[in-house]
Amino acid sequence: EIYTLSLHDALPISADDRRAARFANALGSRHRLAFVVQGLNVAAVAVGARAIGLNVPFNTILVSATTVSFAAVMPISFAGVGVREASLPILLAADGVPREMAITLGLVWSAIVLSVGLLGGPVHFLAQRREHAAQASLATTQPAATETAAKRAA
């Protein structure tokens, strides 16, 4: 016979420690996802800037996009519309970007954000609906299985 010993068997780990480890792992994956999302946001702004013929250094786009993203989540507008258009001219003025071009970049960015939301919203809704249906189905079959096991034991 082959015996295996896992780290779980070798170390005295309490249920609280395992819960804390799962929480830390979930938190870490959320942080990684946040970095990916913000990176894609910066990439979208950089592509939008190139699309309208705006040649700005990437580090300027990086700082501007993250700063404006932070301002756009403030509850002062709907989906950050208006905040981007007002903030970008201020942030890009130091690099000599004309006000009109900065506002245009803000409009392009808003169009990208709203397009992604319009496309991703229904997909997310359907995925959530499918998950709730699966949970409801599981909840209705579990009591029946428990009752059957109780009848067999009796």
Side-chain angles (χ1 to χ4, degrees), residues 45 59-69 88 91-92 95 109:
V45 175
N59 60 347
T60 302
I61 294 290
L62 177 68
V63 170
S64 298
T66 53
T67 304
V68 172
S69 290
L88 282 173
L91 293 169
L92 297 177
D95 286 315
W109 188 5

Side-chain angles (χ1 to χ4, degrees), residues 3-13 18:
Y3 292 97
T4 60
L5 182 65
S6 69
L7 186 60
H8 173 65
D9 296 330
L11 298 174
I13 299 174
R18 282 192 292 276

Side-chain angles (χ1 to χ4, degrees), residues 33-148:
L33 181 61
F35 275 105
V36 168
V37 167
Q38 287 306 315
L40 291 172
N41 195 26
V42 171
V45 175
V47 169
R50 298 282 183 231
I52 63 172
L54 191 59
N55 292 319
V56 180
F58 183 75
N59 60 347
T60 302
I61 294 290
L62 177 68
V63 170
S64 298
T66 53
T67 304
V68 172
S69 290
F70 182 70
V73 297
M74 303 277 188
I76 55 176
S77 72
F78 176 72
V81 175
V83 175
R84 292 179 195 85
E85 293 78 7
S87 302
L88 282 173
I90 297 166
L91 293 169
L92 297 177
D95 286 315
V97 175
R99 182 174 177 75
E100 297 80 18
M101 291 296 282
I103 292 172
T104 303
L105 179 59
L107 291 170
V108 168
W109 188 5
S110 291
I112 291 169
V113 169
L114 294 175
S115 298
V116 168
L118 287 172
L119 294 172
V123 171
H124 178 70
F125 174 75
L126 291 174
Q128 290 293 317
R129 189 172 174 190
R130 189 175 305 128
E131 182 178 328
H132 287 289
Q135 287 176 354
S137 173
L138 184 62
T140 58
T141 58
Q142 279 183 340
T146 307
E147 290 172 13
T148 304

